[in-house]
């Protein structure tokens, strides 16, 4: 590097990637607060920087990009990048990196854990103890459901959907259906998974688990109509992005018994209000977006986000890039 490049570090990321950047001689400009920057602060702080290391709390929209078109690149610390207007970054010629793969195991554990916790009402029963309501053994109270031999429906079959399918087949001998834009031969070969359309997925699955990116096509796809097509005994799991489901309509479907339960690691909005009715429902488990929150996954994300920056300045390309067409221009 002829001149040391300045990277805006928007949050407190694991040291492993930050140290890699320091070792390579980058000048790092840290946002020191715990809270994310406001859009105005983000524009202001990016003005004297060459690149930004950011995550889903930063709104990298058209307004930001137009005011920050001097940036050489953007490195996103996440596999999802719906906070970034990638089309506009591409129009402006700004390459965007991301961090796939490294959180696959961690996120799958949360989807799998939510499925079991919901089926057995674990969070609700834990809250009963906290309220001092652990009475005597009651043969008919708060009964859950078993998962053995049930049908799993994956919406958006990719790396995490595949791992979820493997866990569910291994643990509960579940049949696997999936609905995806493209066939996923590995799931068909290893698990005899069947690719079906969205309506078949909804009608035939006992557990429907969303693993898709948030796009204009998937925004709100799990709405009242979709829930009305599901089995009344079905569980809905979302570890993808909150806006993939329509939350008021999900609440209505649970209240009316159109579906049986829900396990959510993502909500709309985030953070969720503490008086949201989902938090007091017996058949619902909600977590605060912790899919990738393991030491291993977050270290992997930090390393990958840093390597995207280092490689970009070394070679002009990066190992994990969202919009490689920028480099073809
Ligand atoms: C992602 O990577 O997109 C997760 O939602 C946060 O780790």
């Amino acid at each position: 590097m002829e001149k040391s490049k300045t990277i805006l570090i928007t949050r407190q990321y694991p040291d492993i990637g930050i140290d890699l950047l320091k070792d390579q001689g980058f000048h790092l400009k840290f946002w020191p607060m715990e809270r994310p920057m406001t859009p105005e602060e983000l524009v202001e702080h990016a003005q004297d920087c060459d690149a930004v290391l950011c995550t889903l709390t930063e709104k990298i929209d058209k307004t930001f990009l137009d005011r920050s078109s001097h940036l050489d690149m953007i490195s996103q610390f996440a596999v999802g990048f719906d906070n970034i207007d990638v089309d506009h970054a591409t129009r402006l010629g700004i390459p965007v990196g991301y961090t796939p793969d490294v959180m696959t195991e961690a996120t799958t554990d949360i989807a799998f854990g939510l499925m079991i916790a919901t089926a057995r009402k674990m969070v609700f029963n834990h809250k009963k103890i906290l309220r001092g309501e652990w009475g005597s053994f009651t043969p008919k109270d708060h009964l859950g459901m078993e998962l053995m031999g049930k049908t799993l429906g994956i919406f958006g079959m990719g790396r995490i959907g595949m791992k979820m399918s493997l866990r569910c087949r291994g643990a509960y001998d579940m049949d696997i259906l999936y609905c995806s834009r493209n066939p996923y031969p590995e799931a068909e070969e290893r698990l005899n998974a069947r690719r079906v359309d969205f309506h078949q997925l909804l009608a035939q699955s006992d557990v429907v688990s969303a693993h898709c990116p948030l796009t204009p096509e998937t925004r709100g796809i799990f709405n009242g109509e979709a829930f009305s097509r599901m089995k009344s005994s079905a569980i809905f799991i979302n570890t993808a992005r909150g806006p993939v489901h329509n939350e008021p309509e999900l609440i209505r479907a649970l209240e009316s018994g159109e579906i049986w339960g829900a396990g959510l690691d993502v909500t709309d909005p985030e953070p969720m209000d503490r008086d949201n009715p989902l938090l007091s429902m017996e058949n619902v488990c909600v977590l605060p977006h912790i899919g990738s929150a393991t030491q291993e996954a977050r270290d992997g994300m930090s390393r990958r986000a840093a390597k995207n920056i280092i490689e970009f300045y070394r070679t002009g390309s990066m190992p994990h890039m969202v919009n490689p067409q920028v480099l073809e221009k």
Side-chain angles (χ1 to χ4, degrees):
M1 249 187 304
E2 339 69 82
K3 163 186 164 297
S4 166
K5 298 288 181 185
T6 302
I7 316 296
L8 175 60
I9 309 290
T10 62
R11 303 298 301 275
Q12 290 167 30
Y13 298 103
D15 291 343
I16 200 157
I18 300 301
D19 290 345
L20 284 177
L21 291 170
K22 283 182 186 161
D23 289 349
Q24 294 293 317
F26 286 95
H27 174 243
L28 305 183
K29 179 177 170 186
F30 293 98
W31 169 249
M33 321 266 257
E34 273 292 334
R35 66 163 175 86
M37 279 180 251
T38 63
E40 203 43 54
E41 287 166 339
L42 187 59
V43 170
E44 198 184 300
H45 282 78
Q47 283 319 295
D48 57 351
C49 293
D50 300 295
V52 175
L53 198 171
C54 58
T55 190
L56 30 119
T57 45
E58 280 74 60
K59 218 168 175 223
I60 311 286
D61 58 5
K62 185 169 180 306
T63 310
F64 170 81
L65 289 165
D66 282 338
R67 294 176 68 188
S68 314
S69 57
H70 64 281
L71 290 175
D72 295 333
M73 60 93 68
I74 291 167
S75 180
Q76 164 92 337
F77 172 96
V79 65
F81 43 81
D82 45 281
N83 58 311
I84 303 177
D85 184 339
V86 174
D87 289 345
H88 200 59
T90 306
R91 273 193 290 278
L92 295 174
I94 303 177
V96 178
Y98 73 135
T99 61
D101 300 328
V102 284
M103 77 290 293
T104 298
E105 294 295 342
T107 307
T108 307
D109 283 343
I110 289 296
F112 188 68
L114 278 171
M115 176 181 74
I116 303 171
T118 304
R120 299 303 303 274
K121 309 186 179 188
M122 287 188 193
V123 172
F124 172 82
N125 279 300
H126 180 75
K127 285 190 293 198
K128 267 181 54 180
I129 303 176
L130 296 179
R131 289 196 300 265
E133 291 171 12
W134 183 355
S136 62
F137 173 81
T138 44
K140 282 174 68 177
D141 268 3
H142 308 304
L143 304 185
M145 67 164 73
E146 297 189 12
L147 294 161
M148 188 56 74
K150 295 276 165 74
T151 297
L152 171 71
I154 298 286
F155 181 73
M157 181 64 95
R159 292 173 291 258
I160 300 173
M162 181 67 202
K163 290 281 180 181
M164 176 71 169
S165 303
L166 285 165
R167 290 212 195 355
C168 289
R169 170 61 61 82
Y172 296 117
D173 202 18
M174 289 170 91
D175 284 332
I176 314 294
L177 303 177
Y178 74 102
C179 169
S180 252
R181 264 189 311 202
N182 299 310
Y184 204 89
E186 188 191 353
E188 299 186 14
E189 282 152 25
R190 289 180 69 182
L191 297 170
N192 213 11
R194 263 191 318 120
R195 184 165 171 235
V196 293
D197 66 28
F198 188 49
H199 289 170
Q200 289 169 315
L201 188 92
L202 296 171
Q204 295 174 27
S205 304
D206 298 301
V207 177
V208 174
S209 193
H211 298 283
C212 56
L214 177 63
T215 64
E217 293 76 43
T218 62
R219 182 176 288 274
I221 191 162
F222 287 95
N223 57 14
E225 210 232 305
F227 295 126
S228 72
R229 291 176 181 272
M230 285 169 62
K231 296 183 184 182
S232 56
S233 55
I235 293 176
F236 171 67
I237 303 293
N238 189 359
T239 53
R241 283 291 183 266
V244 163
H245 65 248
N246 178 314
E247 211 149 285
E249 293 178 18
L250 171 62
I251 293 170
R252 273 196 291 280
L254 287 159
E255 281 170 345
S256 65
E258 259 174 329
I259 67 170
W260 188 85
L264 309 174
D265 183 44
V266 288
T267 62
D268 186 23
E270 287 178 10
M272 173 182 262
D273 270 353
R274 54 186 302 194
D275 57 1
N276 188 305
L278 290 167
L279 294 174
S280 40
M281 288 184 191
E282 185 163 336
N283 300 352
V284 175
C285 296
V286 184
L287 296 174
H289 202 146
I290 57 161
S292 66
T294 62
Q295 193 68 56
E296 293 87 340
R298 292 284 165 85
D299 280 352
M301 292 161 75
S302 184
R303 198 183 300 111
R304 219 152 248 204
K307 284 206 168 148
N308 278 338
I309 297 173
I310 294 166
E311 285 306 303
F312 174 76
Y313 281 113
R314 205 173 62 85
T315 67
S317 184
M318 57 182 114
H320 300 284
M321 192 167 167
V322 176
N323 55 351
Q325 62 276 30
V326 165
L327 301 183
E328 288 152 23
K329 283 191 178 167

